[in-house]
Amino acid sequence: MTVANSVQIKSPLAAEELQKLDAYWRAANYLSVGQIYLRDNPLLKQPLTIEQIKPRLLGHWGTTPGLNFIYVHFNRLIKRYDLNTIYICGPGHGGPGMVANTYLEGSYSERYNRITQDEEGMKQLFLQFSYPGGIPSHAAPETPGSIHEGGELGYSLAHAYGAAFDNPDLMVCCVIGDGEAETGALATSWHSNKFLNPERDGAVLPILHLNGYKIANPTVLARMSDRELESLFVGYGYKPYFVEGDDPAMMHQLMAGTLDEIVAEIQGIQRDARTHGFKQRSQYPMIILRTPKGWTGPKEVDGLPIENTFRSHQVPLAKLGSNPEHLRMLEAWMKSYKPEELFDHTGKLKPELAELAPSGDRRMGANPHANGGLLLQDLRLPDFRQYAVPVTDEGTVETESTRILGEFLRDVMALNLDSRNFRVMSPDENNSNRLNAILEVSDRVFTGEILPIDDHISTDGRVMEVLSEHLCQGWLEGYLLTGRHGFFSCYEAFIHIVDSMFNQHAKWLQTCEDIAWRLPIASLNYLLTSHVWRQDHNGFTHQDPGFLDIVMNKKPNVIRIYLPPDANTLLSVADHCLRSRQYVNVIVAGKQPELQWLDMESAIKHCTAGLGIWQWASNDSGHEPDVVMACAGDVPTLETLAAVDFLRSHYPDLKIRVVNVVDLMTLQPQTEHPHGLSDREFDSIFTVDKPIIFAFHGYPYLIHRLTYRRTNHRNLHVRGYKEEGTTTTPFDMVVVNDLDRFHLANDVIDRVAKLRNTGAYTKQIIRDKLIDHQRYIIEHGEDMPEVQDWKWQYYSGSSSEKKTIEHASSTESAMVGDDSTARSAE
Amino acid sequence: MTVANSVQIKSPLAAEELQKLDAYWRAANYLSVGQIYLRDNPLLKQPLTIEQIKPRLLGHWGTTPGLNFIYVHFNRLIKRYDLNTIYICGPGHGGPGMVANTYLEGSYSERYNRITQDEEGMKQLFLQFSYPGGIPSHAAPETPGSIHEGGELGYSLAHAYGAAFDNPDLMVCCVIGDGEAETGALATSWHSNKFLNPERDGAVLPILHLNGYKIANPTVLARMSDRELESLFVGYGYKPYFVEGDDPAMMHQLMAGTLDEIVAEIQGIQRDARTHGFKQRSQYPMIILRTPKGWTGPKEVDGLPIENTFRSHQVPLAKLGSNPEHLRMLEAWMKSYKPEELFDHTGKLKPELAELAPSGDRRMGANPHANGGLLLQDLRLPDFRQYAVPVTDEGTVETESTRILGEFLRDVMALNLDSRNFRVMSPDENNSNRLNAILEVSDRVFTGEILPIDDHISTDGRVMEVLSEHLCQGWLEGYLLTGRHGFFSCYEAFIHIVDSMFNQHAKWLQTCEDIAWRLPIASLNYLLTSHVWRQDHNGFTHQDPGFLDIVMNKKPNVIRIYLPPDANTLLSVADHCLRSRQYVNVIVAGKQPELQWLDMESAIKHCTAGLGIWQWASNDSGHEPDVVMACAGDVPTLETLAAVDFLRSHYPDLKIRVVNVVDLMTLQPQTEHPHGLSDREFDSIFTVDKPIIFAFHGYPYLIHRLTYRRTNHRNLHVRGYKEEGTTTTPFDMVVVNDLDRFHLANDVIDRVAKLRNTGAYTKQIIRDKLIDHQRYIIEHGEDMPEVQDWKWQYYSGSSSEKKTIEHASSTESAMVGDDSTARSAE
């Protein structure tokens, strides 16, 4: 090993310190093995018997000794330099190591009083691991000091950077598994250094743990030459240090010496930037730690090599019941750590070892940054009402709703610039999503080369743009989990790229609900825009509203979905989301110019209720309607109101009730979601027996899924997005999906008893309209003027009676029905 | 620019060749601009008027000239070296370039006769682009030569490698956008070179197109120093060549010279490996092409710089209607390509330019590898019946079903070794998923360093394992799209990592249904295992059956979902999937030892029907049952049958019908999916009015979504997975989710009229069982023996009468009901 940045084996550790450090490490390893195997005899005071072994051996040994090694060395470092450090455990399946170390340092017992630092506590510590009623086998929310479960690999480094942003004093120790390093998310996370500014941000020390093997395969990175590895990380912008070996004493010296050097280097970078201002991106150090998988475990079992092979991944000795030799090997293995030198006879860690750990909040298991709710400050929010779009006549003025939201977010940003606790993420779509206004008060951040021609980019911006949904999501999670706030805007279709990360974050939040010491953190707020219905520049591959289905699968108490139909409702919803805690909030709203429906007072009431009858658009005057026309989402709302207009023009006597849904959760039964309407309320709004034509933003099934238990579900007819290929005018898009005003009107004619036999003329008109549309767009490449320029005419300020009279002449007389144009729904 | 591998500006192109090459490039650029803007006057024979401009300007100019530059140079290369090449266009939004080039080479008109190579054809070519009834703006399935839409960025390089595997003569030109390069999937795709063997595989030439900007931001990679860039790609294992500049003449020489050198290098690597056998991984060349974004377009518009900035991303001149100056600028821009030098007066490309393109199948738009169905050969399949698990008595023997599947796949692999058209992908889970047998006939492939200690790893394996679902999916897509076969096994929860890639592939397949010249390709086959119900080593984060919901959102004609309950049904389903075309098949099956239900004959019949009554498990003897107990998935099937056993023991007179569902699509109405049962069939199986207790593998809503239109839906009660945290014994897992035998039995008692008033004693027994269970697992850490050892007792061979008599004594007498133990469902 003759690589540039490998440290000459100095010997920074005096003999006694070395011996103690190694003893502490042995203690952590001992406790890790104990968790996997033992349910009794924790100190091995008696010869080990099979009855003391857990009947089911679960967990992962292979990565654990390396994780323990790093933890122990960081303890030394924290004490020596008074560092403020959290530990992100990429290979989260090495959970026993994280539990062992927090137990040794005392932070574990402080949170779990039952797990005392004595023999009985140790027995319970062992027993509970991966055991019914006990704790998970990963670095889960239950684990003190963790903000990263690590079960799904790939997100450690993005989490680490997210934690370091705006935490100038924090140094994040981030262990990256070499298997994890093969994932896409991790592979691009290395570039996060181009977004870190040492003047205001903390540091991340990535430690690539070259453990050699995954479950059954060598890792890709472990089989690269040192030259390629070094080149790769230099290319990523780091200065790699190799720490490599299997002799503990040598490795302790090497690791201690390397870390001393690295701390000096990082502190030098920070000092320089904080004294002279940030000049240019520095090469931050990173460590390539090459240790044997299953280090210090059994070398060989049944003639097969174990240590340093994939066979040590989970439980190296698994046939204890059937093979007494294995039981003896386990005992020998555990005794090789010399527990009697580590713990006193009561089971307590010996004081001369205990003092190696930092104390108080400096312990990595007690660092408040890893329990972000402790540090969380409320955002300062401007009064969202002041951004209101004036709407005196409903459905007559057009605005880009997300552009209005951008003005609100601009001032949220401005108000919190000093507190440095709010960031906005987007995969290169901030402006495309019309949130440009934010850039008036904060640039985009970039610490790579910036050219004069660049637009609103600087080293101290708070808008984070990178063409990776993984990074946006990972950074934001890390930022939120350490007690800050954020907002993530994304093209709707491509949010699926992080389905899996959303799943994991929602599971984390849900689990935290049952952990009293984990305080609530700010919600993860998504704005999904550039949505399915308006992909003019793109097409079919940019159309996918299915993220809502993914979200709905998660536990109701941690998820919220909002579909504000216009700018004022969007403002109200966004304000609510930014104040909320412990949720994932999904807001879906379009960025294109669209008609505005509600003034701010009405918008607030509507959003507070979550769903409601739009009386100004309805003509059932408080009586039972003939039909309920419901809508959720901006484009469906537009088409529904245009359909209502069409119907009211043709059938002034038809009693239509218009219901708009902002908060999708209200549709669910109260038993399923806290926002769910009671059946009584639901029935009073949707009736118990009238047809409901529901125009929905997403896949239509979702509405059925939410409502199938409701009284009137049998009369519910949903139109939503179907996988129907590309199209290139906005209106054609809804026509292809049968979600347009004409199909909706046709649905009503088909379903309302009193029209069924009289609707032929109107249906003929509808058919002709659709043919006109098809001809027009082929000829002109854009929508028919009557569609493009359509506005609502029955607004509160207007005399709807006059209007309806004007159109009364076009109402058809009774005729035998003609259903031939009705297209199949959904 | 003084970087190692940048080619000295030789001048390989003679003046005439240079001039022609440049002219051809100008023609491609001209046609690209024309597509974005014009609907008439294609050759600019008349002064350009606003009426000749499309009313809606859509598409992306910025990346296009660079894509055209590469295409033109590959034409030269193909002709010069008789290369077999396909072009993967990572920035697929540069679709106009792909269309322009295939039009110039003639492959476009061959597929779309209407788009002739003359003035009228050119007019139609322009008009159709991103226009109603026309073509998408991306490198879509409609585009000849494309296997990559490129709308969702990140998958070009994985597709390229997938195409190159087992295609020794193919050289894949893969253009990677610098924005795309920031994505996770792309960042890890560079490591694909560790899986490519030049002895048997073709080559990939990655061209990183440093276009400088994304939509609104500079790209990360464009702002790295040449030293870092070079280091990064050397680290990834490549030999980077820089081609950089903006002067066309200089750039043509540089590109031509570089490509000449690179072809020689690649051919040298291949020759060496094919002559002397593969020795060690070579440093393959790659190109870093740095050209201005929007190259050759407007330099400045309205005082703002356009070329070489983000402002050229979409449509550089967009205000043609309101600003006559813009119209003049467009005309000048198009005329700067000198169309009169490129096309004759009929609009045909001049012959001296046309001859620059390769001919026949060598044209990249006509290469059969980009229309894989042309090359597809059937897999040779062994008779799956020969792997049958002997089942004489249903539900009495245990087997790991996926291990049996592994034996079948082993022989599929063996039979197709010579044809080199079958690969198996897995993210380091092949053995974990019990498919070990495959390794008996083929190793895992790895072309990095291999150690003697490694298990079944060699440079010529056909099992592809890398810890990246993105790579598994991307490689497999590339492999299938070029006409081969494959199988992808994955942990169920983590398949969500590629939700988005699945979406895109399903959309691709759907679109191809309407493109006559695209021939069917082999289906993409997923085995989802290590599933939600058996995550003993892991826990909550490894529990997510929601991929099925994602799949269900796609068009029914391209998706299939199978939940075989045992080994023989799994074999039957897998055989079917491997024979199928043009689908995405999802098979969900457990890897743990599980009871086997059907002998092979029954399994085939059951799978062919897709769903059926299990008569041997039912006791309604062909009459109307009191209750239908339905199940889909292996664990739900086990619990259902155990519940049936319990109920039959306690209520011998209760008539239970057991229905098992293998093919989830059968539940849907026939109108929704080709596999859907008719309502008549459905009603005859599920009855029209009896309670249905449905135990489902996934989230319960999915079953409601599929069946809400069925007659008896109101009596359908579904139990499935709920987000309910971790647990550590298999049975506890189902208990926590109320999907266990006892809850299922309790459901029946609650819902069958004749039991409702008599069920209290049995419900008490159930309650006690659940308490016993809870106590037992806390004490013993494993399942109660009566659960662990449970077997079916009413198998066909047994006298069910005898058995029921034995248990009759435990049947309770009439009592007032007690519903207190009933837990809320779903």
Side-chain angles (χ1 to χ4, degrees), chain A residues 522-544:
Chain A
S523 300
L524 196 162
N525 301 308
Y526 292 103
L527 170 69
L528 305 188
T529 184
S530 305
H531 64 50
V532 54
W533 299 105
R534 295 298 302 271
Q535 280 303 330
D536 316 355
H537 276 278
N538 300 296
F540 192 34
T541 54
H542 288 54
Q543 298 164 5
D544 195 303

Side-chain angles (χ1 to χ4, degrees), chain A residues 111-112 141-142 371 374 511-520:
Chain A
R111 274 164 191 73
Y112 303 100
E142 288 89 341
N371 184 8
L374 281 172
T511 305
C512 289
E513 300 273 298
D514 298 326
I515 304 174
W517 60 266
R518 288 238 176 231
L519 300 193

Side-chain angles (χ1 to χ4, degrees), chain A residues 676-690:
Chain A
L677 287 190
S678 71
D679 279 337
R680 228 168 96 171
E681 279 177 288
F682 192 94
D683 291 351
S684 80
I685 291 172
F686 288 95
T687 80
V688 294
D689 56 1
K690 294 296 179 293

Side-chain angles (χ1 to χ4, degrees), chain B residues 293-427:
Chain B
K293 183 156 184 155
W295 195 14
T296 71
K299 299 257 182 274
E300 204 183 285
V301 177
D302 300 338
L304 287 172
I306 303 295
E307 192 195 49
N308 208 13
T309 81
F310 57 91
R311 292 186 193 88
S312 64
H313 180 69
Q314 286 184 342
V315 180
L317 292 159
K319 297 177 191 151
L320 304 185
S322 57
N323 189 338
E325 178 59 21
H326 281 202
L327 187 64
R328 292 284 70 79
M329 290 172 75
L330 170 62
E331 190 169 27
W333 172 17
M334 292 192 71
K335 287 200 163 167
S336 75
Y337 299 122
K338 303 182 184 149
E340 66 287 358
E341 293 180 7
L342 314 173
F343 305 99
D344 67 21
H345 70 284
T346 72
K348 199 173 164 61
L349 184 66
K350 295 201 171 166
E352 66 271 26
L353 299 183
E355 73 180 18
L356 293 192
S359 57
D361 284 358
R362 287 305 200 216
R363 292 171 299 174
M364 290 189 285
N367 192 305
H369 291 289
N371 184 7
L374 282 172
L375 304 173
L376 184 65
Q377 302 286 325
D378 287 346
L379 269 184
R380 300 175 62 198
L381 292 174
D383 183 351
F384 66 94
R385 295 174 191 82
Q386 75 193 62
Y387 307 89
V389 176
V391 177
T392 42
D393 300 335
E394 295 90 349
T396 55
V397 292
E398 284 198 336
T399 297
E400 296 161 309
S401 297
T402 58
R403 199 177 289 284
I404 305 295
L405 176 68
E407 293 169 12
F408 173 61
L409 290 174
R410 172 196 61 208
D411 295 346
V412 176
M413 180 65 84
L415 281 174
N416 297 281
L417 278 180
D418 290 343
S419 19
R420 300 176 169 278
N421 62 348
F422 182 61
R423 293 206 182 206
V424 173
M425 318 273 164
S426 187

